[in-house]
């Protein structure tokens, strides 16, 4: 899968690209079928919604679930990111966000790179967010909202919000959001929500400002959020547990395009549980190795 | 303003009617200009959002604000309701809901009549909700969501939710919501959100099941919600303060169609403040007068 020059230009201008129905219904089903068992686990890898049992986000499934391990090496996902960043990639973060029917809470306005820089000492924004819809996304089940072009603003000052939801987040001041939306076209395109069937994929810049509303609908909005980082841009601190911010900077090697259905064997290093070492954290920067 | 037979049939089938841009931008501006002074008042008539200073709902402005007193008697609003209910009407409730930019919280799934019956002993659902947009409503600023036809289910059992938001509400079980949406067409029309410019009006049945999401956008979504009740169907208990559930069952007499701009004098019985009597409540049913 090779992006056209127009797609590359659109990404640079808008900060995102949308690929409706990139994965087939059968491929999606393989992934979706694996989710309930992951969400059942009463472990730190599952963050639940405030005051509810619904899973808000599950971490690192690519290390203990075969279908998600394959998705993490899927060429339809990895190759365009590699093309845009022009470097070998490692997996920085892997989440399955629930945004469950009736229960899914908001994600406030933020840039992902803000968190990665502040918490993980990731040197630059040479990293990409990928969202893959496991459910149809419509106007009612809490779609992602982007401010097109906001990635060109670079890193924006943020405030650590630890109270609004169950997940601490570096969030952006409302006055600045209003200004960015206005500059992006106000009510004529200043905010956009890519909507589409299950299997759709969004690539978005790690500085693109985004948010999502609550899900009051009867439809889950489960999405996989993968964050791929250029190997040379790997994080420099292990302040967060390894299941949140990965520490294995080995370049991703793609599987074949049919891997979700052909189901070749994959390594699952955390098959028997999250290792104790993954919980060891430190505020000290890593020693640079040369 | 006379509804056509098609409009009456659509109301009976779907439980709502939508009139985009029914009021002109100039008429809307007169109303919108009056809102900030109302929202500033630190009184019981303003319910603020949980953990925020933003006004969630303001009560009874038609009793102390001239522009809203005129809106409460506007023929474009009152006459179609009178036609649908076939009776003289009084004002049961009058709210200006903020759903302010960035701050506006959700309204859970509910029927308004559920609250009126449970709290106010309103005998039957011979009452109508009217929503008038003072701001443009789009997919981003927390539009109303309806389940078309759900009013035909009649009164649904509800649970008194006093914790989710700052406003206590009789809310409906999620399994039943899922069922109602499915029966109304599922993803093909089982939920609808009328979107349109400021000045648009929605009439909706007091048993129509509805909700609305949070507003994370930089755009306020101020709407006036008027609840008109057939005089013969007046409430039978004053368990809630008078500024929430009115006790004056005098039939509404319409002003002229140009009243918002011509600004004829109107009575403002609460001009000097909410009277002490409005706070006197009782769990006892009213004595029937014959």
């Amino acid at each position: 899968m090779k992006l056209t020059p127009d797609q590359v230009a659109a990404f640079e201008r808008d900060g995102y690209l949308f690929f409706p129905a990139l994965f087939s219904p059968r491929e999606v089903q393989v992934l979706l079928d694996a989710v309930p068992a992951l969400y059942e686990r009463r472990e730190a890898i599952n963050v639940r919604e405030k005051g509810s049992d619904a899973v808000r986000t599950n971490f690192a499934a690519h290390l203990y679930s075969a279908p998600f391990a394959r998705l993490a090496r899927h060429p339809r996902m990895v190759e365009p990111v590699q093309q845009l960043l022009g470097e070998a990639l490692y997996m920085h973060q892997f989440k399955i966000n629930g945004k469950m029917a009736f229960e899914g809470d908001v994600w406030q306005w933020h840039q992902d790179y803000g968190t990665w820089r502040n918490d993980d000492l990731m040197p630059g924004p040479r990293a990409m967010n990928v969202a893959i819809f496991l459910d149809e996304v419509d106007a009612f089940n809490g779609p992602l909202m982007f401010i097109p072009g906001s990635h060109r603003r670079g890193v924006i000052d943020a405030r650590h919000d630890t109270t609004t939801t169950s997940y601490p987040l570096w969030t952006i001041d409302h006055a600045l959001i209003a200004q960015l939306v206005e500059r992006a076209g106000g009510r004529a395109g200043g905010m956009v929500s890519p909507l589409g069937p299950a299997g759709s994929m969004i690539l978005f810049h790690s500085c693109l400002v985004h948010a999502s509303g609550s899900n009051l609908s009867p439809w889950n909005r489960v999405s996989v959020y993968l964050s791929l980082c250029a190997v040379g841009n790997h994080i420099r601190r292990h302040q967060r547990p390894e299941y949140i911010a990965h520490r294995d900077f080995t370049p991703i090697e793609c599987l074949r395009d049919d891997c979700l259905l052909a189901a070749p064997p994959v390594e699952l290093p955390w098959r028997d549980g999250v290792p104790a070492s993954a919980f060891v954290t430190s505020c000290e920067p890593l020693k640079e190795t040369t």
Side-chain angles (χ1 to χ4, degrees), chain A:
Chain A
M1 186 168 141
K2 176 95 181 149
L3 301 176
T4 65
D6 278 358
Q7 285 178 310
V8 174
F11 178 81
E12 283 167 6
R13 183 185 68 234
D14 301 332
Y16 72 96
L17 286 174
F18 184 48
F19 306 87
L22 184 72
F23 294 91
S24 72
R26 281 180 60 215
E27 290 176 317
V28 171
Q29 202 55 52
V30 168
L31 297 165
L32 209 47
D33 287 346
V35 171
L38 303 177
Y39 276 12
E40 264 174 28
R41 296 169 61 156
R42 299 273 151 192
E43 297 177 54
I45 49 159
N46 281 328
V47 175
R48 291 172 196 275
E49 298 283 8
K50 217 170 171 174
S52 151
D53 207 45
V55 170
R56 179 170 176 79
T57 191
N58 163 279
F59 285 106
H62 66 308
L63 299 181
Y64 49 85
S65 164
F68 289 103
R70 294 181 193 112
L71 182 67
R73 293 165 181 78
H74 203 291
R76 256 176 273 160
M77 184 274 293
V78 176
E79 286 174 3
V81 179
Q82 227 154 14
Q83 183 184 346
L84 288 168
L85 292 178
E87 293 186 55
L89 306 169
Y90 80 96
M91 186 66 66
H92 169 57
Q93 193 170 76
F94 190 105
K95 295 186 294 190
I96 308 172
N97 282 11
K99 185 82 71 170
M100 301 305 275
F102 299 114
E103 307 283 353
D105 203 352
V106 304
W107 290 85
Q108 313 94 298
W109 288 106
H110 68 287
Q111 295 177 310
D112 283 22
Y113 178 62
T115 298
W116 304 339
R117 188 178 75 154
N118 288 321
D119 288 352
D120 309 325
L121 294 186
M122 185 186 285
R126 300 203 320 279
M128 181 78 74
N129 277 313
V130 183
I132 296 174
F133 302 175
L134 299 193
D135 288 302
E136 180 179 339
V137 176
D138 63 21
F140 299 110
N141 60 356
L144 270 171
M145 304 184 290
F146 296 135
I147 305 175
S150 55
H151 64 299
R152 286 184 265 119
R153 176 83 179 221
V155 187
I156 294 169
D157 278 343
R159 186 182 70 84
H160 206 208
D161 179 352
T162 57
T163 58
T164 304
T165 78
S166 60
Y167 191 83
L169 201 65
W170 290 86
T171 62
I172 299 171
D173 176 60
H174 291 163
L176 182 56
I177 294 294
Q179 202 181 90
L180 289 170
V181 170
E182 204 45 51
R183 282 187 198 163
R187 294 198 91 124
M191 284 173 66
V192 296
S193 282
L195 306 179
S200 300
M201 178 174 87
I202 311 172
L203 302 184
F204 62 103
H205 194 284
S206 60
C207 287
L208 191 69
V209 178
H210 62 288
S212 68
S214 46
N215 181 7
L216 294 180
S217 84
W219 305 302
N220 294 338
R221 200 219 71 180
V222 177
S223 302
V224 191
Y225 287 88
L226 312 94
S227 305
L228 302 170
C229 183
V231 168
N233 191 46
H234 72 78
I235 62 172
R236 301 296 201 263
R237 180 160 72 178
H238 297 337
Q239 185 179 287
R240 299 197 294 173
E242 188 176 0
Y243 59 86
I244 300 181
H246 293 294
R247 301 169 186 178
D248 177 355
F249 310 137
T250 313
I252 297 169
E253 287 183 35
C254 287
L255 300 175
R256 285 172 38 163
D257 190 76
D258 66 353
C259 62
L260 287 171
L261 300 179
V266 278
E267 271 187 56
L268 296 173
W270 291 6
R271 179 197 294 271
D272 300 322
V274 180
S277 62
F279 294 91
V280 178
T281 59
S282 163
C283 295
E284 291 303 306
L286 301 181
K287 290 201 185 84
E288 285 293 334
T289 53
T290 50

